[in-house]
Amino acid sequence: MQFRQQALAKLQSPEELDLPVRFARPQGWLVLSVTVVAMAAASVWALTGSVTSTVGAPAVLTYGQGSYVLQSPVAGQVTAVLAKEGARLPAGAPVLEVRTGDGDEVVRTLDAGRVTALAASTGQIISTGANVAAVEKVTGSGSPLCATVYVPAESAAGIPAHASVDLTVQSVPSQEYGVLHGKVKSVDRSAQSAQQIAAFLGDAQLGEQFTKEGRPVAVTVELEKSSGTESGYAWSSADGPPFALTSMTLATGSIRLADRRPVDWLLP
């Protein structure tokens, strides 16, 4: 009954038309103002700002000229290994001595380079065409290193010329010495098979490893040089590691893609 009486009393009372209408409290105006400013800022950013993205992919440090697998032209028993891993050899340098039915034969390098792997040992019986060594082509002792990053094919089209690249080198603690800096030098036009990668790097295992998720595109990265570091290259830290870098060192590359406007991401 109490609620009924209150309702009847309200109906019988005259309307308060002479009182001012209150549209919003001060707190409401504050919230509205903040919302409008935020929406305006978001609109300006969507039209004039940019979104930076990166693509990460496995990489390897090389001299950029590729490698080759040295095969034995004869069959027989290896009597001497005449080269060492890591040695730089000119073209035609002796690598193995093999005893055949017609006498001793010497297996020699085809091109100048650095021996990255030896697959034969003294006393081993090898056949004609057997892989006996992997040689990385190097023009001279002062040849600069570069990096080859194997990027997924669907991401390669978004890589601009001279894009910045950060390389986390496997043999260098990044927490202490940072990452290696570089810039994109070239992007291959076609995806590469495991056999093509193995032929370039002289390592079939890396060819299989880099193609597990599909055929990638090879991106050549020119490393930024620095006279103030032991390695001779620029790092995110001031000094970088206190040792020189060697080719065929594995790394992970982070390539900066072309900047895109946020509106490109928001609109279908």
Side-chain angles (χ1 to χ4, degrees):
M1 292 295 294
Q2 181 179 358
F3 295 108
R4 181 178 178 82
Q5 292 175 356
Q6 291 177 352
L8 290 173
K10 187 173 182 179
L11 289 173
Q12 294 172 359
S13 63
E15 295 184 2
E16 300 174 346
L17 299 177
D18 57 334
L19 296 178
V21 178
R22 176 178 294 179
F23 292 98
R25 296 181 179 181
Q27 295 87 343
W29 282 110
L30 178 61
V31 173
L32 180 61
S33 301
V34 172
T35 304
V36 170
V37 171
M39 292 180 64
S43 300
V44 172
W45 176 75
L47 294 175
T48 62
S50 62
V51 175
T52 300
S53 58
T54 60
V55 58
V60 59
L61 303 183
T62 70
Y63 285 104
Q65 301 178 57
S67 302
Y68 66 91
V69 177
L70 182 63
Q71 297 178 326
S72 175
V74 295
Q77 184 179 30
V78 178
T79 57
V81 178
L82 306 175
K84 295 182 179 180
E85 287 191 9
R88 292 178 182 269
L89 302 176
V95 177
L96 298 176
E97 189 175 84
V98 181
R99 179 164 298 164
T100 69
D102 298 327
D104 291 346
E105 297 284 348
V106 176
V107 180
R108 301 177 181 274
T109 57
L110 302 177
D111 295 300
R114 188 180 72 91
V115 179
T116 57
L118 285 170
S121 57
T122 303
Q124 181 179 347
I125 303 297
I126 59 175
S127 59
T128 303
N131 298 335
V132 296
V135 183
E136 183 180 25
K137 298 177 183 179
V138 184
T139 56
S141 58
S143 299
L145 284 170
C146 66
T148 303
V149 186
Y150 290 96
V151 178
E154 60 272 16
S155 301
I159 299 176
H162 310 298
S164 298
V165 183
D166 289 334
L167 292 155
T168 302
V169 183
Q170 195 175 82
S171 60
V172 178
S174 58
Q175 298 86 349
E176 186 174 359
Y177 300 114
V179 295
L180 188 60
H181 290 321
K183 290 188 179 297
V184 170
K185 183 178 180 180
S186 63
V187 180
D188 279 1
R189 295 184 178 182
S190 59
Q192 296 194 1
S193 65
Q195 292 75 17
Q196 288 174 309
I197 296 174
F200 179 77
L201 298 178
D203 191 319
Q205 186 175 358
L206 289 180
E208 295 294 336
Q209 178 180 333
F210 292 158
T211 55
K212 283 183 178 180
E213 305 297 330
R215 297 176 60 170
V217 170
V219 178
T220 303
V221 176
E222 184 177 17
L223 304 182
E224 294 183 15
K225 296 182 180 180
S226 173
S227 58
T229 63
E230 183 69 24
S231 64
Y233 300 100
W235 297 77
S236 57
S237 64
D239 301 323
F243 51 82
L245 297 174
T246 59
S247 61
M248 299 306 296
T249 300
L250 296 180
T252 300
S254 178
I255 304 176
R256 178 172 174 171
L257 301 178
D259 291 345
R260 297 179 61 185
R261 288 188 175 183
V263 70
D264 295 337
W265 296 83
L266 297 175
L267 295 179

